[in-house]
Every structure is written in C-alpha cells, then in structure tokens.
Amino acid sequence: MILEPKDMIICPKQPYFVMATSRYYKAVVMNQGISHFYCFQKDDAIENSIIAVPDGCIDILFCCDEKEPYAHVCGTVLHPKLVNNEKNKYYFGVRFLPGNSFKFKHITMADLVEQEIPLLEVINDKDLFEQITSCRDFNYQIQVFMNKYLKLYKYYETTNKHKDLRELMISSIIETAGQIKVNELADKAGYSVRYINKMFSEQFGLSPKVFCKLMRFQYLLSNLNDSNKEIFDANLTELAIELGYYDQSHMIKDFYEFTNTTPGKYIHSLQETEYKKRLIII
C-alpha cells in the first residue's frame, strides 16, 4: 500500500536507532513543535551501529550516565552519519518537528545542520540537564522537559511574526510529499522566490529544495516501513512515480545517498532485525 501525500504526517523516522537496540520506546506527540520523545539502551548483544539519516529535524539527546552524563543538540544530517553511543547506557531524546526547537542562544537553525553542540552551551538550564540525566524514568523525563519547554514554546509562537508563513510552507510541502517547487511555494504564499528562500532558511535551516528532498526521502521510508519485500518489488515503479522520481534508478540513487544502502536491502534489514517488535510506541 502506498500512502497518499494528503495522508502524510511528518513523523520523522530514524530507523537505525531502532535496529541497533533491543527495545526502543517512543512517545508520539505531534503537537506544540514536538514530534516525539524516545529512549533506548544499546545492549551488549546488539552489534548494529546507530546511524542517523536525514530527517530535517533537531534532536536533543541526553546520555543518562551516573558518572559522565551529557546532552547534545543535534541538527539534521544531510548524509548518513554514525552516532557516537556506548553500550549499556541509557539515552533519552526529544525530536522536534521541522522548523521547531528550543530557541537557543547565539545560534540559528542553519548553524545546527550536521552539527552536535553541548546543550549547556546554548541553554543555560543546569536544572533541566540534571533532572533528566539523573533518572531513567521515561514518563518523568518527558514531564520535566515539557514543564520547561511549554512556556518558552508558547512565548515564541505568540511573538513569531513568521508563524503563519512557516506553517503554510511546511503544510504545502507535506501535502505534496516534497513535490513542490520554490516558485510554487512563493505563488501560494504571495511572496517573491527570494523572500521565500530567505525565510525558509531562517525557519528551517535549509533551502526549500534540500528540505523537499529530505521530506520525499522520509515519505519513502514511511512506505518501506509499512511494506514487505514482495509487495515492494511489485510496486517499485508505482512508488517511484508516486514520489515524483524520474524512474526507479533515480529513487534508488537518492535512497542510497541518504542511507548507504538500497531500498530492497533496507527492507531486508527491517525484517532481519524484527524492526516492528523492537519499536514500542506508548
């Protein structure tokens, strides 16, 4: 089954995080600028590496280690990247929806692309850091984070004069599964192409063209995660056309650029690691 673009909701996926852990817990929010919270622990028995793939989002990842706790703000990658992590340590994370995050000191959304920055360098909140890294209670950590975050989020949303334009741009991209050109965005918003490029970079840290490419990739991931090898092989051409690729080879080339593997091999990995059993949505 191929998802219709109109049914597509941004729920950014990092499948290799799930494949590299025995249990990956996910609490879906999809509101107030947050996609979801997650937690995991990489066990000795799991040999798979944790690899980040492009998703257009910002994460805050906390390592809740008694001796050496840390937290990093992680911008979207543009190519697959090995994530530094250690076995038998508990991690808690929050993934923001594209264009959303804490409002950090002295850095822009573009500054975070392909970067990891220590949280306390951009947010002066040791209390938040200590409360989250000192425990391993997933629900409590979510509560602590939301108590700090919601006040800042509400303030920013009421003072962000570009909020409506940001929402129009993101909804237009999602509704078309990334198949919209910059001039079409400009016409829809009633602004010049130059202004749309400028505002998009400020709000998302990426150009509209690059962001659309990432969303099309994420849309492809959603379809593959709900597919199986036999159905995928039968619908390969249909899927490529649905997503706006020139042909199958174009789709495979783009997928390889973002994952270092092919769609077929990716589905095999999902089945081999029993992906759906490891992903626990609460």
Side-chain angles (χ1 to χ4, degrees), residues 106-120:
H106 314 307
I107 59 173
T108 66
M109 298 292 275
D111 293 332
L112 287 168
V113 175
E114 295 200 299
Q115 299 296 320
E116 292 184 28
I117 300 175
L119 176 68
L120 293 179

Side-chain angles (χ1 to χ4, degrees), residues 87-183:
K87 292 183 178 181
N88 298 316
K89 289 191 177 182
Y90 172 91
Y91 293 86
F92 168 81
V94 53
R95 184 161 303 140
F96 296 93
L97 290 168
N100 291 271
S101 73
F102 259 115
K103 300 308 157 188
F104 306 112
K105 296 186 299 183
H106 314 307
I107 59 173
T108 66
M109 298 292 275
D111 293 332
L112 287 168
V113 175
E114 295 200 299
Q115 299 296 320
E116 292 184 28
I117 300 175
L119 176 68
L120 293 179
E121 287 187 9
V122 291
I123 294 179
N124 185 23
D125 196 333
K126 290 185 178 180
D127 184 52
L128 172 68
F129 173 82
E130 291 174 357
Q131 285 191 64
I132 289 181
T133 57
S134 63
C135 81
R136 297 189 176 190
D137 184 324
F138 189 35
N139 289 325
Y140 174 75
Q141 289 171 315
I142 293 173
Q143 181 181 349
V144 168
F145 187 89
M146 291 299 284
N147 286 343
K148 296 282 187 175
Y149 168 75
L150 280 180
K151 293 179 182 178
L152 296 174
Y153 172 78
K154 290 176 181 177
Y155 172 76
Y156 177 72
E157 288 297 281
T158 57
T159 58
N160 182 4
K161 62 181 181 180
H162 303 300
K163 175 187 174 184
D164 292 340
L165 177 57
R166 183 190 70 196
E167 296 304 318
L168 174 64
M169 290 190 294
I170 191 66
S171 63
S172 299
I173 290 171
I174 298 309
E175 287 170 4
T176 61
Q179 299 176 58
I180 188 169
K181 299 184 184 302
V182 182
N183 63 314

Side-chain angles (χ1 to χ4, degrees), residues 55-66:
D55 62 6
C57 300
I58 289 172
D59 282 36
I60 301 179
L61 185 62
F62 297 83
C63 176
C64 306
D65 182 63
E66 292 181 0

